[in-house]
């Protein structure tokens, strides 16, 4: 066996080896779950009762993870791993009682009565020996199978990956500490301010490593300080939210976009509460992200209140919808007793039905009942209103153009306005003939929405004379008086063209930025 220690001078420079070992911040990895899974797997793979991740310092060997052994460390003088770490390959001791290096070792003559030992060296990137991943048996064995040897070396590489992560994190923290010492006054002020805030405050390194939480975080979660550093924060989310939150955070880290998400966070009482998480990147003069700062705001009560309001709103809207249906039914019932009023009653019933369709479109919905079209869009409302006029053979009324926002306030006059146009087109205009069609184009012109109703393929149009009828008055009432707009009619021989100009602020309480085609 080649003694790497003698070959590379570690026997005469133990100080360098100990410095390398200390740089890996091994204390932070004690009883690490990931390392414990490695020793569990190593023991199962090699059919051994004991498996250890052992790091050798000046006086002792410490077990960062162990399977099948209660002791957390032993003196270095009793260490098998102190020998195994200096080799190129796995060190095999088939029967320790027959090996002069170990026959008198207290771990051989006494508990745990080591007989068989196999240790894969743990070497730093510079080739510095730090310890060993080993398996131990209480009975002599000839050795390991090829698969066991390969598996043990692979697991040793995984242990070193964890140690490198710990070293890199420790280096980041050391760098951060240097900066903090230089800016101690600013840092103290920040922590004082952060701890005084009602929100949970946290920060990460540029790669997303969580390294700071304020007092409110630990008060809310009840976790020990430092336990949620690194990726540990994701485990605090509700299991159903973890993948979604991790994906959103990964997107922000990749793109630099601000992070914002609602999720359920584990509370000190053992339950989960809804919080709003937000984070923004801090960039240097060159645009490089130097740190992320974030907050978590408890919105649990507001979330529950919103859900309760949604249930109540849905119930009220459902009852209003029923009232529309009842009123329409009463009109039909009354018309049967007064045949001479049937036409008027039918027109009134259809207008009420149109109002009911508009209300049902914009009312609060559950995920199951929500319309396919966007509820805050003019084109979605028009598609809903025109659905009774579409034929099975194809769309007789086509809506094109920009996506413009609406709300429940404007839905009623819009429903009356376009129901009247569609009804007139069915009675007298393009839709009264099989080949007739209507195109409704929507144009977003900044602060104004221009809607053009164009009929084609119907009977020849003649400009009406005399006093305008009730339908015309209803159109003007809806567009002009209620929505503050303007209506212009062009009685073209090939079909009626109506241009309606409406201020966008009358359509939606919060005008939305739109783009052509939605």
């Amino acid at each position: 066996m080649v003694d790497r220690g003698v070959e590379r001078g570690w026997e005469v420079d133990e100080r360098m080896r100990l410095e390398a070992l200390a740089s890996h911040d091994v204390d932070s990895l004690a009883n690490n779950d990931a390392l414990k899974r490695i020793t569990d797997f190593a023991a199962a793979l090699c059919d051994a009762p004991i498996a250890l991740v052992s790091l050798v310092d000046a006086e002792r060997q410490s077990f960062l993870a162990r399977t099948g052994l209660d002791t957390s460390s032993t003196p270095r003088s009793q260490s098998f791993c102190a020998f195994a770490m200096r080799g190129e390959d796995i060190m095999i001791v088939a029967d320790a009682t027959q090996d002069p290096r170990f026959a008198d070792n207290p771990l051989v003559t006494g508990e745990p009565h080591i007989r068989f030992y196999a240790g894969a060296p743990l070497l730093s990137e510079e080739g510095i020996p730090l310890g060993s991943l080993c398996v131990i048996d209480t009975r002599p064995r000839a050795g390991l199978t090829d698969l066991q040897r390969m598996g043990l070396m692979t697991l040793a590489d995984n242990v070193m990956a964890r140690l490198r992560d710990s070293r890199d994190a420790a280096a980041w923290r050391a760098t951060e500490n240097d900066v903090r010492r230089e800016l101690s006054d600013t840092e103290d002020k920040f922590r004082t301010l952060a701890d005084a805030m009602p929100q949970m405050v946290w920060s990460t390194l540029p790669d997303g490593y969580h390294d700071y939480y304020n007092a409110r975080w630990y008060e809310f979660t009840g976790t020990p300080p430092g336990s949620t550093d690194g990726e540990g924060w994701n485990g605090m989310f509700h299991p159903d939210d973890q993948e979604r939150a991790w994906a959103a955070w990964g997107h922000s880290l990749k793109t630099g976009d601000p992070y914002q998400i609602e999720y359920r966070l584990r509370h000190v009482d053992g339950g989960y509460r809804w919080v709003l998480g937000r984070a923004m990147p801090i960039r240097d003069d060159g645009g490089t992200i130097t740190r992320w700062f974030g907050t978590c705001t408890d919105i649990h009560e507001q979330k529950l209140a919103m859900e309760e309001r949604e249930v109540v709103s849905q119930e009220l809207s459902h009852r209003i919808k029923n009232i529309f249906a009842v009123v329409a039914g009463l009109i039909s019932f009354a018309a049967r007793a007064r045949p001479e009023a049937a036409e008027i009653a039918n027109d009134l019933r259809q207008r009420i039905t149109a109002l009911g369709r508009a209300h049902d479109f914009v009312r609060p919905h559950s995920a199951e009942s929500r319309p396919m079209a966007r509820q805050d869009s003019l084109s979605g409302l028009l598609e809903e209103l025109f659905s009774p006029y579409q034929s099975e053979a194809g769309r007789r009324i086509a809506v094109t153009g920009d996506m413009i926002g609406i709300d429940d306030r404007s839905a009623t006059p819009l429903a009356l306005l376009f129901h009247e146009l569609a009804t007139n087109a069915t009675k007298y205009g393009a839709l009264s003939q099989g080949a007739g069609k209507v195109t409704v184009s929507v144009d977003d012109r900044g602060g104004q929405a221009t809607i053009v109703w164009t009929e084609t393929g119907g009977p020849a149009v003649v400009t009406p004379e005399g006093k305008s009828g009730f339908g015309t008055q209803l159109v003007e009432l809806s567009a002009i008086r209620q929505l503050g707009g303007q209506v212009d009619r062009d009685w073209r021989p090939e079909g009626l063209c109506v241009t309606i100009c409406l201020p966008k602020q009358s359509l939606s309480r919060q005008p939305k930025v739109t783009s052509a085609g939605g």
Side-chain angles (χ1 to χ4, degrees), residues 165-234:
D165 288 344
S166 176
R167 180 198 62 190
D168 293 345
W172 274 114
R173 288 193 290 271
T175 301
E176 191 75 10
N177 287 336
D178 290 342
V179 174
R180 286 176 179 172
R181 280 191 292 270
E182 295 174 3
L183 303 173
S184 59
D185 183 54
T186 302
E187 179 69 14
D188 288 344
K189 290 180 180 179
F190 166 75
R191 289 180 177 272
T192 300
L193 177 62
D195 286 343
M197 293 180 65
Q199 289 93 351
M200 293 164 271
V201 178
W202 48 271
S203 71
T204 81
L205 300 174
D207 62 357
Y209 185 94
H210 287 65
D211 65 346
Y212 169 75
Y213 299 90
N214 71 340
R216 175 61 177 151
W217 168 270
Y218 295 111
E219 175 188 336
F220 182 95
T221 62
T223 56
S227 62
T228 51
D229 287 357
E231 296 181 5
W233 64 278
N234 198 44

Side-chain angles (χ1 to χ4, degrees), residues 406-461:
I406 64 167
D407 58 21
D408 56 324
R409 179 182 58 178
S410 60
T412 297
L414 287 170
L416 291 174
L417 168 61
F418 286 99
H419 167 75
E420 201 63 37
L421 289 174
T423 299
N424 288 338
T426 301
K427 291 181 178 179
Y428 317 112
L431 301 184
S432 66
Q433 295 188 0
K437 293 184 179 299
V438 176
T439 299
V440 181
S441 63
V442 181
D443 186 11
D444 184 349
R445 299 184 179 178
Q448 180 174 274
T450 299
I451 308 162
V452 180
W453 170 284
T454 305
E455 299 183 22
T456 57
V461 174

Side-chain angles (χ1 to χ4, degrees), residues 96-123:
T97 63
Q98 304 302 312
D99 191 313
R101 296 172 297 176
F102 307 114
D104 296 330
N105 191 306
L107 301 179
V108 176
T109 60
E111 292 290 339
H113 299 289
I114 297 175
R115 294 297 179 268
F116 174 78
Y117 172 93
L122 299 176
L123 306 175

Side-chain angles (χ1 to χ4, degrees), residues 293-323:
F293 281 99
T295 61
C296 296
T297 304
D298 187 340
I299 60 170
H300 193 71
E301 304 303 332
Q302 299 95 307
K303 190 82 171 179
L304 294 182
M306 287 177 62
E307 291 175 354
E308 291 176 0
R309 285 198 297 269
E310 182 176 354
V311 171
V312 173
S313 180
Q314 288 182 14
E315 179 61 24
L316 289 175
S317 294
H318 183 69
R319 294 189 180 189
I320 292 172
K321 178 183 176 182
N322 288 342
I323 291 174

